[in-house]
Amino acid sequence: MKKILLETIHIFVPIVIGIIAFHFVFDLSNIKTESVIDINVHDTYFIVEKSEILPVFCITIIYLFYLIKVCFQKFENYLSLCILSIISLILILILPAIISFIKSLATQPGWTIYPPLSAKKVEFKENLFSRIYPKIYILYCTVTLFGFFVFYKLGKLHKRQSS
Protein backbone atom coordinates (compact mmCIF):
# COMPACT_ATOMS: atom_id res chain seq x y z
CA MET A 1 0.00 0.00 0.00
CA LYS A 2 2.88 2.33 0.82
CA LYS A 3 4.46 1.69 -2.62
CA ILE A 4 1.23 2.54 -4.42
CA LEU A 5 0.87 5.78 -2.43
CA LEU A 6 4.47 6.69 -3.23
CA GLU A 7 3.95 5.99 -6.94
CA THR A 8 0.78 8.09 -6.89
CA ILE A 9 2.77 10.97 -5.47
CA HIS A 10 5.43 10.35 -8.13
CA ILE A 11 2.73 10.69 -10.79
CA PHE A 12 1.22 13.88 -9.39
CA VAL A 13 4.53 15.70 -8.93
CA PRO A 14 5.34 15.65 -12.71
CA ILE A 15 1.74 16.63 -13.50
CA VAL A 16 2.06 19.69 -11.26
CA ILE A 17 5.48 20.47 -12.75
CA GLY A 18 3.98 20.06 -16.24
CA ILE A 19 1.12 22.43 -15.46
CA ILE A 20 3.51 25.01 -14.03
CA ALA A 21 5.80 24.71 -17.06
CA PHE A 22 2.78 24.90 -19.37
CA HIS A 23 1.71 28.07 -17.56
CA PHE A 24 5.06 29.71 -18.23
CA VAL A 25 5.18 28.58 -21.86
CA PHE A 26 1.54 29.14 -22.92
CA ASP A 27 0.26 31.53 -20.21
CA LEU A 28 -2.59 29.86 -18.35
CA SER A 29 -3.49 33.05 -16.47
CA ASN A 30 -5.95 34.07 -19.19
CA ILE A 31 -7.32 30.62 -20.03
CA LYS A 32 -10.91 31.90 -20.10
CA THR A 33 -10.32 34.83 -22.45
CA GLU A 34 -7.59 33.42 -24.67
CA SER A 35 -7.98 29.67 -24.67
CA VAL A 36 -6.46 29.13 -28.11
CA ILE A 37 -3.02 29.16 -29.65
CA ASP A 38 -2.71 30.63 -33.14
CA ILE A 39 -0.15 29.07 -35.46
CA ASN A 40 0.45 31.27 -38.47
CA VAL A 41 1.87 29.54 -41.54
CA HIS A 42 2.03 31.93 -44.49
CA ASP A 43 -1.63 32.90 -45.14
CA THR A 44 -3.16 30.15 -43.01
CA TYR A 45 -3.99 30.23 -39.32
CA PHE A 46 -4.24 27.03 -37.33
CA ILE A 47 -6.11 27.48 -34.09
CA VAL A 48 -5.44 24.91 -31.37
CA GLU A 49 -7.12 24.88 -27.98
CA LYS A 50 -4.75 25.14 -25.01
CA SER A 51 -6.77 22.44 -23.31
CA GLU A 52 -5.85 20.04 -26.14
CA ILE A 53 -2.13 20.66 -25.74
CA LEU A 54 -2.04 20.44 -21.94
CA PRO A 55 -2.52 16.63 -21.65
CA VAL A 56 0.18 15.94 -24.23
CA PHE A 57 2.52 18.33 -22.45
CA CYS A 58 1.87 16.68 -19.06
CA ILE A 59 2.23 13.15 -20.48
CA THR A 60 5.59 14.14 -21.95
CA ILE A 61 6.78 15.51 -18.59
CA ILE A 62 5.58 12.34 -16.80
CA TYR A 63 7.35 10.19 -19.42
CA LEU A 64 10.64 12.04 -18.94
CA PHE A 65 10.30 11.85 -15.15
CA TYR A 66 9.64 8.11 -15.17
CA LEU A 67 12.33 7.51 -17.79
CA ILE A 68 14.91 9.07 -15.48
CA LYS A 69 13.46 7.28 -12.45
CA VAL A 70 13.50 3.85 -14.11
CA CYS A 71 17.04 4.36 -15.42
CA PHE A 72 18.23 5.21 -11.92
CA GLN A 73 16.45 2.14 -10.56
CA LYS A 74 18.15 0.04 -13.27
CA PHE A 75 14.82 -1.39 -14.46
CA GLU A 76 14.25 -3.30 -11.21
CA ASN A 77 11.06 -1.65 -9.85
CA TYR A 78 8.04 -3.50 -11.26
CA LEU A 79 5.46 -0.80 -10.52
CA SER A 80 7.57 1.97 -12.06
CA LEU A 81 8.13 -0.16 -15.15
CA CYS A 82 4.38 -0.77 -15.45
CA ILE A 83 3.65 2.95 -15.26
CA LEU A 84 6.41 3.77 -17.75
CA SER A 85 5.11 1.12 -20.16
CA ILE A 86 1.58 2.58 -19.99
CA ILE A 87 2.89 6.10 -20.55
CA SER A 88 5.09 4.83 -23.42
CA LEU A 89 2.07 3.21 -25.02
CA ILE A 90 0.09 6.45 -24.72
CA LEU A 91 2.94 8.41 -26.32
CA ILE A 92 3.33 5.83 -29.09
CA LEU A 93 -0.37 6.27 -29.89
CA ILE A 94 -0.37 10.10 -29.68
CA LEU A 95 2.84 10.96 -31.54
CA PRO A 96 1.68 9.87 -35.06
CA ALA A 97 -1.14 12.44 -34.92
CA ILE A 98 1.36 15.14 -33.94
CA ILE A 99 3.75 14.01 -36.67
CA SER A 100 1.04 14.14 -39.33
CA PHE A 101 -0.01 17.62 -38.19
CA ILE A 102 3.58 18.89 -38.34
CA LYS A 103 4.10 17.25 -41.74
CA SER A 104 1.01 19.04 -43.05
CA LEU A 105 2.55 22.35 -41.95
CA ALA A 106 5.94 21.58 -43.47
CA THR A 107 6.60 22.87 -46.95
CA GLN A 108 9.10 21.27 -49.25
CA PRO A 109 11.76 23.56 -50.69
CA GLY A 110 11.12 24.37 -54.32
CA TRP A 111 7.32 24.10 -54.23
CA THR A 112 5.68 26.63 -56.47
CA ILE A 113 2.18 27.89 -55.82
CA TYR A 114 0.39 29.70 -58.60
CA PRO A 115 -1.82 32.43 -57.14
CA PRO A 116 -4.34 34.41 -59.18
CA LEU A 117 -3.06 35.85 -62.46
CA SER A 118 -2.65 39.32 -60.98
CA ALA A 119 0.06 38.21 -58.51
CA LYS A 120 3.50 36.72 -58.93
CA LYS A 121 4.05 33.03 -58.43
CA VAL A 122 5.39 32.12 -55.01
CA GLU A 123 8.23 29.68 -54.50
CA PHE A 124 8.56 28.22 -51.03
CA LYS A 125 11.74 27.80 -49.18
CA GLU A 126 12.17 25.61 -46.14
CA ASN A 127 10.13 26.59 -43.06
CA LEU A 128 10.41 25.81 -39.37
CA PHE A 129 8.10 22.79 -39.54
CA SER A 130 10.07 21.15 -42.34
CA ARG A 131 13.12 21.29 -40.07
CA ILE A 132 11.21 20.01 -37.01
CA TYR A 133 9.47 17.12 -38.82
CA PRO A 134 12.51 14.79 -39.18
CA LYS A 135 13.53 15.38 -35.57
CA ILE A 136 10.07 14.52 -34.24
CA TYR A 137 9.97 11.44 -36.46
CA ILE A 138 13.32 10.31 -35.01
CA LEU A 139 11.93 11.03 -31.51
CA TYR A 140 8.92 8.84 -32.32
CA CYS A 141 11.16 6.00 -33.49
CA THR A 142 13.29 6.34 -30.35
CA VAL A 143 10.26 6.36 -28.02
CA THR A 144 8.84 3.31 -29.82
CA LEU A 145 12.09 1.34 -29.60
CA PHE A 146 12.58 2.30 -25.97
CA GLY A 147 8.94 1.35 -25.32
CA PHE A 148 9.63 -2.12 -26.73
CA PHE A 149 12.70 -2.34 -24.51
CA VAL A 150 10.62 -1.37 -21.46
CA PHE A 151 8.01 -4.01 -22.34
CA TYR A 152 10.81 -6.59 -22.69
CA LYS A 153 12.29 -5.64 -19.30
CA LEU A 154 8.81 -5.68 -17.73
CA GLY A 155 8.15 -9.18 -19.05
CA LYS A 156 11.55 -10.37 -17.90
CA LEU A 157 10.99 -8.91 -14.42
CA HIS A 158 7.49 -10.41 -14.23
CA LYS A 159 8.83 -13.84 -15.22
CA ARG A 160 11.55 -13.58 -12.59
CA GLN A 161 9.07 -12.53 -9.87
CA SER A 162 6.55 -15.25 -10.72
CA SER A 163 9.18 -18.01 -10.65
Side-chain angles (χ1 to χ4, degrees):
M1 186 69 178
K2 192 174 183 180
K3 284 185 180 182
I4 294 174
L5 181 63
L6 187 63
E7 287 298 325
T8 307
I9 291 171
H10 283 170
I11 288 175
F12 283 116
V13 167
I15 289 174
V16 170
I17 291 171
I19 290 173
I20 291 170
F22 190 83
H23 168 69
F24 286 115
V25 173
F26 295 111
D27 191 23
L28 282 178
S29 62
N30 55 1
I31 192 77
K32 296 290 183 192
T33 58
E34 292 182 26
S35 63
V36 295
I37 298 170
D38 297 328
I39 301 172
N40 181 10
V41 180
H42 300 291
D43 293 337
T44 307
Y45 280 95
F46 292 96
I47 299 173
V48 181
E49 294 275 338
K50 287 181 182 179
S51 61
E52 294 172 356
I53 295 176
L54 181 62
V56 176
F57 198 80
C58 286
I59 287 172
T60 305
I61 298 290
I62 293 170
Y63 179 79
L64 292 173
F65 179 80
Y66 267 93
L67 177 68
I68 293 168
K69 181 180 175 183
V70 165
C71 287
F72 276 122
Q73 293 173 343
K74 298 179 183 172
F75 299 95
E76 294 298 324
N77 190 341
Y78 185 75
L79 191 57
S80 294
L81 271 176
C82 286
I83 293 171
L84 182 64
S85 64
I86 291 169
I87 296 168
S88 296
L89 187 62
I90 291 170
L91 270 181
I92 289 169
L93 294 174
I94 289 175
L95 277 175
I98 295 171
I99 289 173
S100 66
F101 177 69
I102 289 176
K103 187 174 181 182
S104 70
L105 296 177
T107 56
Q108 301 298 321
W111 279 4
T112 303
I113 294 182
Y114 294 96
L117 295 174
S118 61
K120 295 180 188 176
K121 64 180 180 179
V122 178
E123 186 171 330
F124 282 106
K125 302 207 175 4
E126 192 175 52
N127 66 359
L128 172 73
F129 298 106
S130 59
R131 282 183 256 137
I132 290 175
Y133 170 71
K135 293 170 180 70
I136 291 188
Y137 194 78
I138 290 171
L139 175 76
Y140 173 68
C141 293
T142 306
V143 166
T144 304
L145 289 174
F146 192 75
F148 288 144
F149 178 72
V150 167
F151 285 123
Y152 169 75
K153 285 292 201 178
L154 184 64
K156 201 172 177 181
L157 191 63
H158 178 70
K159 186 177 179 182
R160 189 175 350 138
Q161 284 182 352
S162 63
S163 298

